[in-house]
Amino acid sequence: MPVAVRTNLPGLAAITLAVTFALAVNRLLPAVSPLTGAVVLGVVVGNLPVLPESAKAGLKWATRRFLRAGVVLLGVQLSVAQVLQLGGGMLLVVLVTVVVTFFGTVLLGRILGLPRGLTLMVSTGFSICGASAVAAVEGIVEREESEVATAIGLVTLFGSVSMLVLPLLANGVELGMWAGASVHEVAQVVAAASPAGAAAVAAAVVVKLSRVVLLAPLAAGLSIVERRRRPVVEGKRPPLIPLFVLGFLAMVALRSTSVFPEAWVPTTKDITGLLLAGALFGLGTGVQLRSLAKTGPKALLLGLGSTVLVAVVAYAGVRLVG
């Protein structure tokens, strides 16, 4: 067996066990997505003396690769035709909601004095697509390992709150459009729209996917900004546009043609979920709860403020376009 394989095998085994456990939890509690279960398990394992030292190299090796691959394959879930079905008015609502939420959250993070990396990851996750968006930009921005899990934890917490609260405030297709434009995770969007029926769920998913499309230009924009702030990182210049962002766009383009078989989409979606769950477990193991306590209250305020902002802007837009 090659040395590289032997070195990484314990970490890959740990990820396999963790993802299996997260999937089992999701079966028992569907509201808990595998991504959420994986990152929570990672935090628990990382703060208890149960992870062998031999697993750490494989975890580090796999985490970044799984993240990149998962984000690339996320593009298969989208097609240009799906997005265009929304119409110009709703597309404008999605764009305005994402832009206002992102920059509003960045401003709030500065006011609260939170680290720049944490603020940017929360801004991206809350405005685009939750943990997947955090995973997409965590390698672009300058951040601490603990800040990644904090951002994902905030997405999980406040996305779950939105999932429970929105059905109390709206119904019908309006609920679906509002959930799709404001709730963080795709699974949370579906859960929020479900009480209003199948039509609301269908509308919610399409609106949500239109937000996901904006992940590519946002990640590319952040990469350009970071390239100017940090011309050289670890002895080399950061890429103008990360390769995984180009891969994401390529997958969207491929799905929008007749080349990619529609029957493969569900399988690809499952693989994407497994890759992202494995990566988030790896990120979670690097989190130290003691360090989280330092920014805890302010981080919660940031998450609350961002959630209220995205909900209000999205609701106003949905009401305006009818």
Side-chain angles (χ1 to χ4, degrees):
M1 184 182 296
V3 175
V5 175
R6 287 203 306 271
T7 301
N8 295 325
L9 198 57
L12 292 172
I15 287 176
T16 301
L17 290 173
V19 172
T20 301
F21 179 81
L23 290 173
V25 171
N26 175 250
R27 288 269 184 130
L28 294 172
L29 301 170
V32 180
S33 73
L35 273 64
T36 300
V39 74
V40 170
L41 180 60
V43 173
V44 172
V45 169
N47 285 271
L48 294 175
V50 295
L51 189 67
E53 191 68 29
S54 60
K56 293 183 179 179
L59 281 172
K60 184 177 181 180
W61 179 86
T63 296
R64 178 150 297 187
R65 287 163 175 79
F66 285 8
L67 278 176
R68 300 294 183 264
V71 171
V72 169
L73 289 180
L74 189 63
V76 175
Q77 298 180 37
L78 313 174
S79 73
V80 174
Q82 285 176 311
V83 175
L84 293 180
Q85 286 176 3
L86 291 176
M90 195 60 208
L91 288 176
L92 182 60
V93 169
V94 169
L95 178 61
V96 170
T97 301
V98 168
V99 171
V100 171
T101 302
F102 179 82
F103 287 104
T105 306
V106 169
L107 178 60
L108 180 57
R110 289 178 180 173
I111 293 172
L112 291 171
L114 287 167
R116 183 175 180 275
L118 173 61
T119 298
L120 287 174
M121 287 186 291
V122 170
S123 301
T124 306
F126 279 49
S127 63
I128 302 286
C129 57
S132 300
V134 173
V137 301
E138 62 85 23
I140 297 174
V141 302
E142 191 174 9
R143 84 299 185 277
E144 299 292 334
E145 289 292 336
S146 61
E147 292 169 3
V148 180
T150 300
I152 293 170
L154 292 174
V155 161
T156 301
L157 172 61
F158 288 102
S160 299
V161 171
S162 298
M163 176 183 76
L164 297 173
V165 172
L166 263 59
L168 303 177
L169 304 176
N171 53 57
V173 175
E174 180 182 88
L175 171 60
M177 304 287 262
W178 188 19
S182 63
V183 180
H184 310 326
E185 292 279 357
V186 175
Q188 293 167 344
V189 167
V190 173
S194 292
V201 172
V205 170
V206 175
V207 173
K208 180 61 177 177
L209 292 179
S210 70
R211 284 169 69 192
V212 176
V213 171
L214 297 176
L215 175 61
L218 181 53
L222 281 175
S223 181
I224 292 172
V225 171
E226 290 300 298
R227 183 183 173 93
R228 291 175 177 172
R229 288 185 75 250
R230 298 181 295 154
V232 178
V233 179
E234 296 180 354
K236 58 183 179 180
R237 288 174 64 82
L240 184 61
I241 300 179
L243 186 60
F244 73 90
V245 173
L246 296 177
F248 172 86
L249 292 174
M251 289 297 103
V252 174
L254 185 62
R255 172 71 194 282
S256 301
T257 68
S258 58
V259 175
F260 195 89
E262 196 69 23
W264 291 7
V265 173
T267 301
T268 307
K269 182 178 179 180
D270 291 340
I271 294 172
T272 303
L274 293 174
L275 288 169
L276 291 176
L280 291 176
F281 170 75
L283 289 172
T285 60
V287 175
Q288 295 301 310
L289 293 178
R290 290 180 181 178
S291 63
L292 289 181
K294 297 179 182 178
T295 58
K298 289 184 178 181
L300 287 173
L301 283 176
L302 179 65
L304 176 61
S306 185
T307 298
V308 172
L309 178 61
V310 70
V312 170
V313 174
Y315 184 73
V318 169
R319 294 286 295 187
L320 189 63
V321 300

